[in-house]
Amino acid sequence: MKMIAIPKKEWPAGLAKAAGSFRLFGPVKEKEFHSFKRLENGQLPDFSCQNTRLSPKHLVYPQSEVMLTYSLDESRPDHHIMKEAPADTSPRAVLGIRPCDAKAFVLVRMNFDTPDYKDPYWLRAYESTTFVGLSCASPCSSCFCTTAGCGPFHEEGLDVLLADAGDHFLAKVLTEKGAAWVAAGGWTQTADAKAEGRLADLRQAAEAKIASQVQTESLKAADTTALYNAGFWEEVSFACINCGTCTYSCPTCWCFDIQDETRGTSGVRMKNWDSCMYPLFTLHGTGHNPRGTKLHRVRQRFMHKLKYFVDKYDRGIQCVGCGRCVRLCPVNIDIRRVCGLMNGLAASGEACAID
Amino acid sequence: MRNPYLPYPVRIDDITVETEDKNLKTFKFVFLDPADEQKFAYKAGQFAELSVTGQGEIPIGIASSPTEKGFVMFTVNKVGRVSSFLHAMKPGDIMGLRGPMGNWYPWEKMQGKNVVIIGGGFAFTTLRSSIVYMLQPENRKNFGEIHVIYGARSPGMLLYREELAAWEQRDDIHMHITVDATSDPNWKYNVGFVPAIAEKKAPPAGSDTYAIICGPPIMIKFTQPVLDKLGYAHDKIIMSLENRMKCGIGMCGRCNIGKEFVCKDGPVFTLEQLNKTPREY
Ligand SMILES: Cc1cc2nc3c(=O)[nH]c(=O)nc-3n(C[C@H](O)[C@H](O)[C@H](O)COP(=O)(O)OP(=O)(O)OC[C@H]3O[C@@H](n4cnc5c(N)ncnc54)[C@H](O)[C@@H]3O)c2cc1C
Ligand code: SF4
Ligand code: SF4
Ligand code: FES
């Protein structure tokens, strides 16, 4: 599709125009950290932010979301009957999402959009959103996107890819949705003939800065039970405090809980983020817990991302290499290292023997 | 596509206390909108989420058979928050039902085969559904010999006692009811643990015989070696799992055993399938 040049001096006015037909979201700084928020009238997304501390997954998949409502008031004819909660599905645009976080939605979609069941909450939020990505000119040292099926200029999951080109943004329009957003902003200047080449140069320079890698090529062929029974889980999980930070900050983690909350006679049934790191996640009513130790739970997180997901969908690992869990884990448990251990065991051939 | 989180509204039609300790009750539900009953078309072995408005949802095996019309039935053990609240509810109360969920016993593969059902404790619910389904006159001819080995702690802890007695009278099903112990002098059936009775009464293994096992972990643990000894192949041993669940549709992430979700890819698995998973159940 086509390439537009958006002069930076025309950026604010165009956004103001686009705000007429889109609800705009972008990274804004609050106290110390950036996060994705609804932009106030005239507020600009802060593109100086390397990436937000928490992923923008909450934009499509809120940490707490009302699904259904009910009344317990027996004088009402519909008492105790669940009803769908109203939702705002008017168009919105997320500005400045990084390519890794946009690709993460593509992976998570496979969980919520299946041939048998569709999660209407996730899907309607995703479908009403236009993703305007900002490529990474200077990736963080903990990023390993290029070996995690992604990259600083990766386009999957984006409707527009922006690249900072000095006094203007190069905007590569990738989808119809993206074209509609560019049109709403009134930016019409087609980029010159050299733009493709400039974008490719910027991309190459950025990819060259990614300093860390993961090896994943042997994971698929490995035997599940051999990886599961590997000797290294004790050592890998030893320091974990099961705080859940890794799963909450991860753009590709999607586990949730369902809870009813009643006030007086009316209430809501909601979906809340949950974490495989918590013992309650799998605790049976009888007291039995199939993942009763932290070794079980740490192993589940890595086995899910690096083996079960790989086997189930054949679309690579359930990680885009954003590096958040690496940066935020209080005890420095590092997915790059664990991936190396798993892949190494698989490659050594030992993981082919049935234990 | 229908919102998979939205329960069908149902009314509690009838409640029966099943066991002498009163911890198990059978609930019969009727759909408020009769059209929903068609949408809830199920097979023996599936489960549903009972949605107690304001309390939460619990996954429970469907105890009625698809051949029984006009209601759906569940037998619920009083365990924690939701099941205790449900135990205190009355006929006429309104709640919800989500489902049917999961897979079912392999009825297609078991056509023309012998079936031995081995159940313990209150895990007999979907087994009742299966027996009623197989004994339906137009279905009975589709199966060979049917054996049922079912045990509970004491006679008063057996579920569906009147139906068990009626099945005992029939000659197209071999019932082997047992209790761990009893002081009842009139007890006519077996005394002993399920694995021991299975060893004595289960039909010989063969390519034409399937075993369905449902029960507490301890019973399964000791029954499996018995079936191994009798020569049952692992692809002929069928089990139903009960991992903790919320969504029931393979999305919330908690019920997996490896890449399989017990709620969606199960709850019914062959032992051969389970051998290839991390067996986190
Ligand atoms: C496929 C399947 C079929 C089942 N069939 C039956 C049945 O026919 N009869 C019966 O009495 N019980 C059955 N159970 C077990 C039943 O679901 C639990 O006893 C029940 O969820 C306990 O909920 P609670 O709110 O009373 O207990 P709490 O301990 O307060 O549980 C809170 C929540 O934990 C979850 N939970 C707790 N224990 C279990 C468990 N063992 N399995 C799944 N989720 C759990 C539920 O989401 C529940 O709402 C079945 C479970 C599964 C997975
Ligand atoms: S962030 Fe680190 S310590 Fe916390 S649960 Fe994850 S791995 Fe464990
Ligand atoms: S697992 Fe870690 S590095 Fe991978 S996507 Fe999640 S937070 Fe980012
Ligand atoms: S219960 Fe949610 S994934 Fe199985």
Side-chain angles (χ1 to χ4, degrees):
Chain A
M1 282 193 126
K2 62 181 179 177
M3 187 93 84
I4 305 282
I6 303 177
K8 285 189 180 165
K9 59 180 185 336
E10 289 177 21
W11 177 243
L15 285 188
K17 231 190 269 176
S21 38
F22 287 88
R23 293 176 286 147
L24 299 181
F25 294 77
V28 291
K29 192 164 185 176
E30 282 185 323
K31 295 185 186 143
E32 281 173 81
F33 304 111
H34 283 85
S35 64
F36 276 87
K37 287 265 151 76
R38 174 88 192 257
L39 300 175
E40 316 264 336
N41 229 341
Q43 189 180 16
L44 293 177
D46 182 356
F47 281 3
S48 71
C49 148
Q50 199 165 32
N51 203 357
T52 51
R53 187 164 161 96
L54 293 181
S55 87
K57 73 176 167 187
H58 65 278
L59 296 177
V60 169
Y61 176 38
Q63 183 159 3
S64 247
E65 179 171 29
V66 173
M67 297 198 289
L68 307 168
T69 63
Y70 55 82
S71 168
L72 304 178
D73 177 356
E74 303 214 350
S75 68
R76 291 179 47 154
D78 61 353
H79 70 89
H80 289 83
I81 297 181
M82 291 281 177
K83 278 179 282 305
E84 295 190 65
D88 183 355
T89 55
S90 61
R92 49 183 196 164
V94 176
L95 311 175
I97 185 172
R98 295 295 186 179
C100 56
D101 291 335
K103 159 92 190 251
F105 284 122
V106 176
L107 298 183
V108 172
R109 182 179 191 144
M110 292 191 275
N111 184 60
F112 287 118
D113 183 4
T114 72
D116 310 300
Y117 300 106
K118 309 222 176 280
D119 185 310
Y121 307 96
W122 195 95
L123 278 172
R124 72 186 176 203
Y126 186 73
E127 275 158 6
S128 63
T129 308
T130 300
F131 294 95
V132 180
L134 180 62
S135 52
C136 294
S138 44
C140 326
S141 58
S142 45
C143 294
F144 53 99
C145 50
T146 46
T147 47
C150 196
F153 280 63
H154 199 74
E155 294 171 3
E156 220 179 332
L158 287 176
D159 298 298
V160 177
L161 176 70
L162 298 177
D164 193 326
D167 63 348
H168 65 285
F169 293 113
L170 282 176
K172 187 170 181 187
V173 181
L174 300 163
T175 64
E176 293 298 325
K177 263 176 156 181
W181 179 78
V182 169
W187 300 294
T188 51
Q189 185 188 327
T190 308
D192 60 44
K194 294 195 198 111
E196 279 289 352
R198 265 207 317 282
L199 194 70
D201 291 344
L202 288 171
R203 175 187 186 129
Q204 225 176 11
E207 285 176 355
K209 286 185 201 160
I210 304 281
S212 75
Q213 273 93 36
V214 286
Q215 277 79 46
T216 59
E217 67 289 341
S218 302
L219 293 170
K220 181 137 183 29
D223 178 69
T224 299
T225 49
L227 282 182
Y228 183 88
N229 292 319
F232 50 70
W233 294 115
E234 183 71 49
E235 178 264 319
V236 163
S237 63
F238 177 73
C240 175
I241 55 172
N242 276 169
C243 64
T245 300
C246 47
T247 57
Y248 276 64
S249 60
C250 176
T252 66
C253 276
W254 63 61
C255 292
F256 63 89
D257 187 25
I258 300 174
Q259 291 284 332
D260 287 7
E261 209 167 89
T262 310
R263 290 227 173 96
T265 56
S266 59
V268 295
R269 174 162 291 169
M270 49 191 202
K271 218 182 189 185
N272 302 315
W273 289 358
D274 205 340
S275 172
C276 59
M277 286 294 165
Y278 302 150
L280 274 180
F281 192 59
T282 49
L283 180 69
H284 290 201
T286 54
H288 170 66
N289 194 342
R291 292 202 280 266
T293 70
K294 79 177 171 186
L295 185 149
H296 280 102
R297 298 190 284 274
V298 170
R299 174 170 55 190
Q300 160 64 17
R301 170 164 171 257
F302 290 116
M303 286 292 284
H304 186 206
K305 287 190 174 297
L306 304 173
K307 179 61 182 162
Y308 307 151
F309 183 91
V310 174
D311 287 353
K312 195 173 186 92
Y313 299 108
D314 201 10
R315 290 278 300 269
I317 56 175
Q318 187 202 339
C319 166
V320 290
C322 74
R324 284 189 181 86
C325 61
V326 177
R327 293 191 288 279
L328 295 176
C329 174
V331 301
N332 294 325
I333 292 175
D334 188 329
I335 189 170
R336 296 170 299 184
R337 177 173 171 268
V338 179
C339 188
L341 288 170
M342 288 172 67
N343 194 67
L345 182 75
S348 74
E350 267 175 61
C352 297
I354 308 284
D355 199 51
Chain B
M1 197 179 271
R2 190 188 154 80
N3 180 345
Y5 299 100
L6 187 66
Y8 298 115
V10 294
R11 180 171 44 78
I12 302 179
D13 189 47
D14 190 31
I15 303 176
T16 337
V17 177
E18 289 285 347
T19 52
E20 62 191 3
D21 69 355
K22 300 192 174 54
N23 265 338
L24 280 135
K25 286 185 180 176
T26 293
F27 297 82
K28 265 190 182 173
F29 298 106
V30 172
F31 290 92
L32 291 194
D33 177 355
D36 289 344
E37 189 181 335
Q38 259 77 58
K39 294 185 206 150
F40 192 84
Y42 62 93
K43 295 194 177 159
Q46 288 192 283
F47 71 98
E49 288 279 355
L50 305 194
S51 163
V52 181
T53 315
Q55 300 298 317
E57 297 184 306
I58 48 173
I60 302 289
I62 307 174
S64 50
S65 152
T67 53
E68 297 172 300
K69 302 293 179 199
F71 65 94
V72 267
M73 184 177 112
F74 299 85
T75 302
V76 180
N77 190 22
K78 188 172 159 186
V79 177
R81 180 184 161 103
V82 179
S83 55
S84 302
F85 192 92
L86 183 61
H87 266 241
M89 287 172 73
K90 307 261 171 320
D93 286 350
I94 304 295
M95 50 180 276
L97 200 57
R98 231 162 30 93
M101 288 163 170
N103 63 357
W104 44 87
Y105 297 119
W107 299 114
E108 302 78 9
K109 269 198 221 152
M110 293 192 301
Q111 290 274 318
K113 312 287 183 190
N114 305 317
V115 179
V116 51
I117 284 181
I118 305 176
F122 56 81
F124 196 63
T125 56
T126 58
L127 300 180
R128 176 205 177 265
S129 171
S130 304
I131 295 167
V132 172
Y133 168 75
M134 288 190 288
L135 291 182
Q136 171 82 357
E138 63 263 30
N139 293 336
R140 182 63 193 87
K141 60 180 187 307
N142 297 332
F143 301 94
E145 300 259 289
I146 301 175
H147 286 263
V148 175
I149 299 160
Y150 171 41
R153 281 203 309 276
S154 59
M157 290 302 292
L158 289 163
L159 299 180
Y160 319 123
R161 284 192 293 276
E162 282 173 27
E163 284 177 308
L164 294 179
W167 295 334
E168 277 282 355
Q169 303 307 311
R170 299 175 66 132
D171 53 15
D172 57 354
I173 180 167
H174 307 281
M175 297 296 294
H176 313 285
I177 297 169
T178 183
V179 292
D180 296 354
T182 179
S183 49
D184 178 357
N186 296 321
W187 178 249
K188 302 192 286 245
Y189 313 113
N190 303 285
V191 176
F193 294 122
V194 168
I197 303 298
E199 186 159 8
K200 275 189 260 168
K201 309 278 181 157
S207 59
D208 280 341
T209 305
Y210 281 83
I212 303 179
I213 319 182
C214 256
I218 186 85
M219 184 205 95
I220 292 180
K221 190 174 163 205
F222 288 105
T223 305
Q224 195 192 311
V226 170
L227 291 178
D228 280 344
K229 202 162 131 193
L230 293 173
Y232 278 76
H234 285 185
D235 66 335
K236 296 286 183 300
I237 300 178
I238 294 153
M239 304 190 356
S240 186
L241 303 185
E242 286 195 4
N243 276 18
R244 180 167 176 152
M245 294 181 181
K246 283 286 177 171
C247 70
I249 55 176
M251 291 182 183
C252 76
R254 61 174 46 48
C255 72
N256 71 299
I257 43 164
K259 74 177 174 28
E260 254 56 71
F261 286 104
V262 174
C263 66
K264 191 177 158 191
D265 306 310
V268 177
F269 295 95
T270 63
L271 184 54
E272 187 184 37
Q273 289 173 310
L274 293 177
N275 288 340
K276 292 184 196 133
T277 74
R279 306 188 75 153
E280 282 182 337
Y281 50 83

